[in-house]
Amino acid sequence: MVTYKISGARRLCGELDAQGAKNAALPILTATLLTRGLNIIENCPRILDVEVLLDILQHLGCKVTWEEDRLLVDTASADGDSIPEYLMRKMRSSVILFGALLGRLRSGEISSPGGCELGPRPINFHISAFEQMGVVIEERHGCLHGVLEHPHDTTINLEFPSVGATENIMLLAAALPCTTTIYNAAREPEIEDLQAMLCSMGAGVRGAGTPVLVIRGSGKLRPVSHTIIPDRVVAATYLIGAAVTGGELKLNHVQERHLNAATTLLSQSGCQIERLPDGLYLKAPERPRPLGVVRTMPHPGFPTDMQAIFMTYAALAQGCSVMIETIFESRFKHVPELRRLGANIVVDGRMAVITGVPWLYGATVRADDLRGGAALILAGLAAQGETRVLDNGHIARGYQTPEHFLRLLGAKIEALEGHPPALPPEEERDRG
Ligand code: UD1
């Protein structure tokens, strides 16, 4: 348990380098399993989800070594074919290991990933695609056991452009001696990064960034050296940190086109944004204008992973914004906590109406998921007085030492380890 203790209402100003993308790192590290030998992964974020995945890779027999933010993954003797439940449970996206195991060994077993903090997260698209690709899947005692029996050319029509299902299919397809076509594939930048990695390994993958992906697999994929793309959600978080504190930020090594949805909203609401050759510069407005109606959508739409952090921004705007969450059922858990800090937000089903207030006020709040936790830290940075964000490890899943980087920008924030006293009663948490 970590408590982020923040003395807010201080301008964040300065310069930062973007960290590597969590959602690219996870499939890319998983893809190393399709090879036998030493893979070198550059710009890998040192975050909890990556550490959990490395535990799984080591459990399967990989040798893993960190050299600063470079990771060496030696897959030569990885012969494990099943992932125990306690490791699967630590990270829901470990389901993409199923595709990699089937690709490497032609069989594999994972425990059924359960629901998580964002509501039920089914894997029916993954299972149905694998069955179409020739995998025979059985459920045994809560485990999914798969055997690849008849690999053949396959055309898969995804009902929804699921990121995880697209990646899982790509991982298996890259290792098969046939061609797989995905219609309605996810188009996120992380899919482009996985395509680049699989192509370096020797597979023929094209179409990433469009709804049609064609994967020509190879029975012999080689180890590679690959650099992970910058994290667009983390980048947007720091930009908003500057925007809600009246600050300015130069963010280096971001890919501006990955951040279009965020920068469009930020500049429409009054932030000054400048594109630099290798990054972005943001200067906050005195007070943001409202955001209008923002609907989360698959890429290139507004990302669900930025909904919570933009809600903190909207909470301080001069007027009313509406956010509609279309991707996940249960993604407004940060709302009651933002209200404790003085935000005026009303939720009706999947819609939140945010009426901006001039100030938020420090209180004790609890992070219930990764991006919601980041939204609370941002709110604490903007709020007058002291905010304590109690976090049971959600934030560190995706943010590498946020307290360190925020301090570099002038924030007063500490990460206190250990069990904090029990959360005060509701009435005392407000303005507490
Ligand atoms: C990934 C990202 C997550 C992001 C999400 C949407 C990673 C590690 N995680 O999650 O940060 O919020 O994309 O951009 O990259 N669905 C089904 N059946 C399936 C699969 C998905 O019904 O078999 C539904 C989900 O319940 C959800 C929607 O499809 O409502 C989107 O899920 P998906 O794109 O698969 O998200 P993840 O890959 O889990």
Side-chain angles (χ1 to χ4, degrees):
M1 174 68 90
V2 177
T3 301
Y4 294 94
K5 183 177 152 206
I6 308 163
S7 291
R10 283 161 196 269
R11 293 177 71 220
L12 295 195
C13 293
E15 189 170 339
L16 278 188
D17 292 345
Q19 72 176 49
K22 167 176 94 71
N23 288 356
L26 300 177
I28 278 167
L29 292 172
T30 303
T32 63
L33 272 179
L34 301 176
T35 69
R36 283 184 191 272
L38 183 67
N39 293 270
I40 301 171
I41 310 298
E42 307 270 1
N43 199 32
C44 192
R46 293 196 78 149
I47 51 175
L48 209 54
D49 268 7
V50 164
E51 298 293 351
V52 171
L53 181 54
L54 295 181
D55 285 349
I56 296 177
L57 292 179
Q58 290 181 91
H59 171 88
L60 294 172
C62 299
K63 293 195 182 77
V64 170
T65 317
W66 280 103
E67 288 179 351
E68 302 200 345
D69 67 352
R70 168 188 298 150
L71 196 53
L72 310 182
V73 186
D74 187 347
T75 52
S77 48
D79 291 320
D81 66 352
S82 68
I83 303 165
E85 189 185 351
Y86 77 94
L87 285 173
M88 278 296 289
R89 280 208 170 274
K90 285 191 185 176
M91 191 180 61
R92 134 91 210 183
S93 50
S94 48
V95 65
I96 56 171
L97 281 144
F98 203 25
L101 282 180
L102 288 165
R104 183 183 179 94
L105 304 167
R106 302 298 190 252
S107 71
E109 186 173 280
I110 58 166
S111 73
S112 250
C116 79
E117 70 270 15
L118 305 182
R121 291 175 82 169
I123 56 165
N124 51 321
F125 304 153
H126 304 238
I127 301 298
S128 146
F130 283 175
E131 285 175 344
Q132 291 171 65
M133 293 167 80
V135 181
V136 176
I137 298 178
E138 272 180 49
E139 191 163 0
R140 295 183 197 154
H141 319 294
C143 287
L144 292 174
H145 182 81
V147 179
L148 179 67
E149 288 198 342
H150 314 288
H152 49 73
D153 288 358
T154 314
T155 297
I156 294 158
N157 291 291
L158 283 178
E159 208 172 292
F160 181 86
S162 153
V163 175
T166 303
E167 292 168 348
N168 223 344
I169 298 166
M170 288 169 82
L171 289 165
L172 172 55
L176 302 185
C178 42
T179 299
T180 307
T181 307
I182 313 175
Y183 286 102
N184 200 22
R187 291 193 270 164
E188 270 68 1
E190 292 76 21
I191 302 287
E192 291 180 43
D193 209 16
L194 181 58
Q195 167 174 292
M197 165 91 168
L198 294 173
C199 286
S200 315
M201 284 164 44
V205 187
R206 59 188 159 84
T210 77
V212 185
L213 264 171
V214 182
I215 304 124
R216 204 166 21 79
S218 156
K220 194 150 177 51
L221 297 172
R222 54 181 175 265
V224 293
S225 180
H226 182 87
T227 303
I228 291 172
I229 56 170
D231 196 306
R232 59 203 167 104
V233 186
V234 173
T237 307
Y238 287 113
L239 289 173
I240 293 176
V244 292
T245 57
E248 51 190 309
L249 176 65
K250 184 166 171 265
L251 204 50
N252 300 320
H253 315 314
V254 288
Q255 293 194 18
E256 192 263 322
R257 76 185 173 92
H258 295 169
L259 274 159
N260 266 342
T263 50
T264 304
L265 276 184
L266 288 168
S267 60
Q268 279 171 356
S269 57
C271 291
Q272 180 189 332
I273 304 262
E274 279 170 34
R275 275 100 190 142
L276 307 172
D278 182 30
L280 275 175
Y281 165 82
L282 175 144
K283 187 168 190 311
E286 206 142 286
R287 197 169 159 203
R289 290 190 287 274
L291 303 180
V293 178
V294 180
R295 195 182 288 270
T296 63
M297 296 292 279
H299 194 77
F302 179 78
T304 172
D305 284 351
M306 292 188 196
Q307 177 256 106
I309 55 174
F310 267 90
M311 196 172 292
T312 295
Y313 180 66
L316 287 155
Q318 200 158 18
C320 196
S321 313
V322 174
M323 303 197 96
I324 301 171
E325 175 56 59
T326 73
I327 310 287
F328 289 110
E329 246 173 57
S330 174
R331 218 171 188 183
F332 282 145
K333 287 190 181 155
H334 45 284
V335 169
E337 305 302 298
L338 285 174
R339 280 204 208 110
R340 292 183 198 292
L341 296 164
N344 180 352
I345 306 171
V346 178
V347 171
D348 182 6
R350 288 185 174 222
M351 180 173 73
V353 179
I354 308 115
T355 307
V357 293
W359 289 107
L360 297 174
Y361 298 92
T364 300
V365 289
R366 185 179 45 223
D368 278 323
D369 61 50
L370 163 59
R371 306 301 172 190
L376 296 177
I377 289 196
L378 292 174
L381 292 167
Q384 305 222 335
E386 186 177 290
T387 297
R388 285 172 184 251
V389 180
L390 312 186
D391 178 30
N392 206 357
H394 295 292
I395 295 169
R397 282 185 44 221
Y399 291 84
Q400 185 170 327
T401 55
E403 67 285 3
H404 166 73
F405 292 107
L406 290 167
R407 277 200 297 266
L408 290 181
L409 299 177
K412 204 165 168 207
I413 175 169
E414 285 174 84
L416 309 170
E417 300 276 346
H419 282 278
L423 210 57
E426 300 282 299
E427 58 283 7
E428 283 171 36
R429 284 167 69 194
D430 297 329
R431 308 284 151 83

